[in-house]
Amino acid sequence: MFRSQIDQVRHSTPDFEDRAAAILEARRRMTQPAGLLAAEALRPEALGRHGLAEAIVLARLRPAFFVKPSGIDTADAIEADPRLLALVTGNAALLHAASRGVGRIDLLHHPSLPFAGTGFLIDDTLAVTNRHVAAVFAEDLRGGYRMRPGRFGTPMEARLDYHGFVGTETRLHAEVTGILYIARDHEPDFALLRVAPQGAATPLELLGVPPLRDRRPAVAVIGYPAEDGSRNDPDLMDEVFRGRYGVKRLAPGFVSDYSRDAPVLMADYSSLGGNSGSPVVALEDGRVLGLHFAGRFLEANHAVTADVIAAARRAVLTRLPGTALPDMDAPGPEAPVSPGASFAKRNGYDPDFLGTGDLSVPLPGLGPWQAAPVSDAADGVLRYRNFSVIQSAARRLPLLTAVNIDGALARRLKRRGSWRLDGRLDLAHQIGNELYLRNALDRGHMVRRRDPGWGPGAAEAEGDTFHYTNCAPQHEDLNQRDWLGLEDYILEAAETRDFRVSVLTGPVFRDTDRRLTAQPGAEDVPIPEEFWKIAVMVHADTGRLSATGYVLSQGRMIRPLVESAFVYGSYRTYQLPLARIGAETGLAFGALLEADPLGGPPGETALAEVARIIDGPDSLVLSPR
């Protein structure tokens, strides 16, 4: 994390030094008796010693724009960071469209509060807000939920008003018709509400968590900030929010960091108490990156990351009668089959992608494992565009995958594809949608959809990743933010030659893996608890291979599946010696062991003594030290 909030602004703001000094001087004249601050305290280098100064700098560059029926009003606001202003104006149509699904949670029959906070649609009749917002008007009653008693004993009512624009009295209400879930105190701060349909209000799209290479994306919080002078400087609050509260706003800023211990992001946008339950959206496209739940004056705002909300949405929708999951993530019980002939011209994984001779990276030896028979390949390798899969005959899941990634030729593709079975394999050796019905398991891509998406066959490669041979069951709460960013960081690291990486991935199969006890058609499929990954590059300085191995453990999270879907266990991503991964999986990595910066034989050493916890790029060891 940055040492102070002022460091964050310094990294993201042009001509920071002049702005900071001028702002602090103006604030000193307005609020402090003469002589109270020494002259040396006005220097930007000293601002970190004065908490008020940090907030002033952020407030001066972090406006809260009015959202109006016609668009986002960027005129009547304090000065904005030029980069943020350009993103807001350049993507105004997308951001305004996202704001249509954001509503103020108005209350009826509450003794004193006219509204509780903000909420937003994530499905046509499904809204999300904070636990502490829902607790204002709802309560848990013997495992269910009901509205709290209000004035004169009448049950409170809540409704989302998607308007609430400054300067207008128009309303667009949707009644809260049910409380679906309120997270417990030890869980992330969110709640799910059932609301009446309202055609003019459209759901927001959940983006997820950005990879390691994009640690500070530009974002905005959209919501209804309320007057909150008890926790903020009143004069500064009135300056930023122009003395108008409880109306729809869009406030831009930058993500400053991610929590290492919880699914939480921090950001420096301007917010007040009524913003609780607001979406934090990416400025580039309006998709939701997080759910705002708290902000501390002088420090930072906090939001639950969108992957948590997406997991909750999936779990709730599968339990609601008459509701089905849309698009490719829920293809139905009978998955379609890709004909074997359709793969005739696929190139598959290239072991010489990084070079020949000592730079060649062949597929690992299978050891005691047997590959499922493939109709068009005697070696048992399923070849797709730019990647290959070896399917386990015994487990009906991929034993390993291997992909070549060319960062220089990568193409940014929209998420397209529907999950399919592979016609080159007997159905007895693969498992489809029947494994993922009525439980908290997700289809986890082994080869990420974007990894093989390079060159002229990029779109074809992305579609190929949506085969059940390329996925393994993972608990929906599995935290993959560091895991998913590893390849991006290694690919773009200065040490990587030609932006090329070959990646091997797979589950860790063990005899102790448990089966689902009530899953028709999938009772014979044990569920792996851990996953491994090996990233291989040519080190730019040495010209030699560097092969680093990682394991992601989710053990406690799937024991048992009937536990709450939102309880987080102590799982982490570790960098491990390849020899240890080979010993755990039974696979033979051959000469790659010599390219491992961690080195060392598998031995009997305890995991804690050979594993390095991965918290970010600084944790990685990509070359010998």
Side-chain angles (χ1 to χ4, degrees):
M1 184 180 296
F2 289 89
R3 287 174 300 175
S4 69
Q5 201 75 5
I6 203 73
D7 294 324
Q8 300 167 18
V9 181
R10 180 179 283 111
H11 276 79
S12 62
T13 304
D15 60 4
F16 169 84
E17 308 295 333
D18 294 339
R19 289 174 182 240
I23 293 165
L24 183 60
E25 172 61 18
R27 182 65 174 176
R28 185 192 65 80
R29 291 195 302 268
M30 181 173 62
T31 63
Q32 299 291 348
L36 184 61
L37 291 177
E40 63 90 22
L42 300 181
R43 298 201 311 268
E45 291 79 4
L47 294 181
R49 295 206 297 271
H50 302 277
L52 194 62
E54 293 185 20
I56 294 166
V57 171
L58 285 173
R60 193 71 178 92
L61 300 170
R62 299 294 185 266
F65 300 125
F66 290 118
V67 178
K68 297 183 175 180
S70 58
I72 300 169
D73 182 3
T74 59
D76 186 22
I78 63 172
E79 182 183 13
D81 182 293
R83 286 188 294 166
L84 293 175
L85 182 60
L87 285 168
V88 171
T89 55
N91 299 305
L94 283 171
L95 296 170
H96 191 253
S99 74
R100 295 192 186 105
V102 182
R104 187 180 61 208
I105 301 181
D106 291 347
L107 301 179
L108 296 178
H109 311 305
H110 191 282
S112 58
L113 294 178
F115 77 99
T118 301
F120 62 96
L121 288 176
I122 54 175
D123 198 74
D124 290 339
T125 60
L126 182 64
V128 63
T129 187
N130 292 141
R131 168 186 60 234
H132 71 267
V133 171
V136 172
F137 56 86
E139 60 184 346
D140 192 342
L141 181 67
R142 299 185 184 94
Y145 305 99
R146 71 174 183 183
M147 291 294 188
R148 291 182 181 276
R151 187 183 290 114
F152 306 119
T154 303
M156 280 188 268
E157 298 178 24
R159 55 191 184 181
L160 265 67
D161 179 9
Y162 299 110
H163 280 188
F165 303 118
V166 65
T168 177
E169 296 300 321
T170 65
R171 296 288 180 262
L172 186 64
H173 282 141
E175 302 296 326
V176 175
T177 60
I179 313 299
L180 302 179
Y181 187 83
I182 299 178
R184 290 170 290 185
D185 290 343
H186 62 283
E187 297 170 350
D189 189 352
F190 76 95
L192 297 175
L193 312 175
R194 186 61 123 175
V195 297
Q198 179 55 260
T202 53
L204 284 77
E205 182 179 353
L206 299 171
L207 176 61
V209 181
L212 289 174
R213 68 174 181 174
D214 189 13
R215 296 295 283 182
R216 287 180 43 74
V219 297
V221 64
I222 305 175
Y224 296 82
E227 189 170 8
D228 195 8
S230 63
R231 291 181 292 183
N232 295 270
D233 180 277
D235 294 335
L236 182 58
M237 183 178 65
D238 281 343
E239 179 184 358
V240 174
F241 293 93
R242 292 297 192 247
R244 301 297 300 271
Y245 304 100
V247 296
K248 185 172 283 191
R249 301 270 194 164
L250 181 145
F254 290 98
V255 170
S256 55
D257 208 344
Y258 297 88
S259 171
R260 297 180 178 181
D261 303 314
V264 172
L265 63 83
M266 281 75 83
D268 59 17
Y269 50 77
S270 298
S271 73
L272 295 174
N275 276 117
S276 290
S278 298
V280 178
V281 303
L283 280 184
E284 64 177 8
D285 57 18
R287 291 187 291 175
V288 178
L289 202 62
L291 165 69
H292 174 87
F293 69 91
R296 188 163 183 174
F297 187 52
L298 314 182
E299 294 185 10
N301 290 296
H302 301 262
V304 178
T305 53
D307 53 341
V308 174
I309 309 306
R313 174 182 177 271
R314 286 191 295 269
V316 166
L317 288 181
T318 55
R319 292 196 289 266
L320 290 178
T323 308
L325 291 178
D327 63 46
M328 64 200 144
D329 286 328
E334 298 295 332
V337 179
S338 297
S342 64
F343 300 102
K345 296 183 179 180
R346 299 296 200 271
N347 57 343
Y349 171 79
D350 180 5
D352 295 330
F353 179 72
L354 301 179
T356 58
D358 292 341
L359 300 182
S360 183
V361 185
L363 292 174
L366 302 188
W369 297 103
Q370 180 180 352
V374 178
S375 62
D376 63 355
D379 57 3
V381 177
L382 292 162
R383 290 175 174 82
Y384 300 97
R385 177 62 60 192
N386 298 334
F387 73 97
S388 295
V389 175
I390 295 180
Q391 185 84 346
S392 168
R395 299 291 292 256
R396 302 176 68 186
L397 296 172
L399 177 62
L400 64 92
T401 65
V403 59
N404 304 125
I405 309 174
D406 193 327
L409 299 179
R411 292 174 55 186
R412 191 180 184 89
L413 300 169
K414 294 183 178 179
R415 181 181 172 94
R416 293 194 181 103
S418 59
W419 287 101
R420 306 174 70 88
L421 297 167
D422 192 316
R424 295 172 292 178
L425 285 180
D426 191 289
L427 294 181
H429 294 305
Q430 51 187 323
I431 185 73
N433 195 44
E434 59 268 33
L435 180 58
Y436 302 93
L437 295 175
R438 298 178 299 278
N439 59 47
L441 295 175
D442 282 343
R443 302 165 190 83
H445 276 80
M446 294 292 94
V447 172
R448 298 186 306 172
R449 67 177 186 85
R450 58 177 291 189
D451 283 354
W454 53 270
E460 180 181 72
E462 181 187 35
D464 281 355
T465 65
F466 286 96
H467 281 88
Y468 280 103
T469 51
N470 182 47
C471 83
Q474 296 178 341
H475 195 283
E476 64 186 0
D477 290 343
L478 182 64
N479 182 335
Q480 300 187 66
R481 60 177 55 87
D482 289 335
W483 177 265
L484 293 179
L486 286 170
E487 295 167 31
D488 292 329
Y489 180 78
I490 293 172
L491 191 65
E492 299 186 359
E495 297 96 333
T496 307
R497 190 171 76 182
D498 297 331
F499 302 104
R500 286 189 163 204
V501 175
S502 290
V503 177
L504 312 175
T505 308
V508 180
F509 291 144
R510 291 193 173 92
D511 293 338
T512 56
D513 290 339
R514 287 176 291 273
R515 291 173 169 80
L516 299 179
T517 57
Q519 194 77 17
E523 302 94 332
D524 63 333
V525 182
I527 309 302
E529 296 191 8
E530 295 165 320
F531 296 85
W532 61 270
K533 185 186 295 291
I534 295 175
V536 189
M537 67 177 187
V538 177
H539 200 282
D541 294 333
T542 65
R544 302 175 62 183
L545 288 183
S546 172
T548 51
Y550 310 90
V551 64
L552 177 65
S553 175
Q554 64 178 122
R556 289 182 56 196
M557 296 174 59
I558 66 172
R559 188 174 62 244
L561 283 172
V562 297
E563 291 180 347
S564 168
F566 313 112
V567 176
Y568 284 76
S570 56
Y571 52 91
R572 302 298 292 266
T573 297
Y574 302 91
Q575 181 174 351
L576 283 176
L578 268 60
R580 183 58 181 260
I581 295 176
E584 295 292 326
T585 61
L587 301 175
F589 297 111
L592 277 186
L593 299 179
E594 300 177 6
D596 183 1
L598 295 187
E604 298 296 332
T605 311
L607 176 66
E609 297 180 29
V610 296
R612 296 179 56 88
I613 296 175
I614 300 301
D615 289 322
D618 293 340
S619 306
L620 301 177
V621 178
L622 301 181
S623 58
R625 294 182 174 179

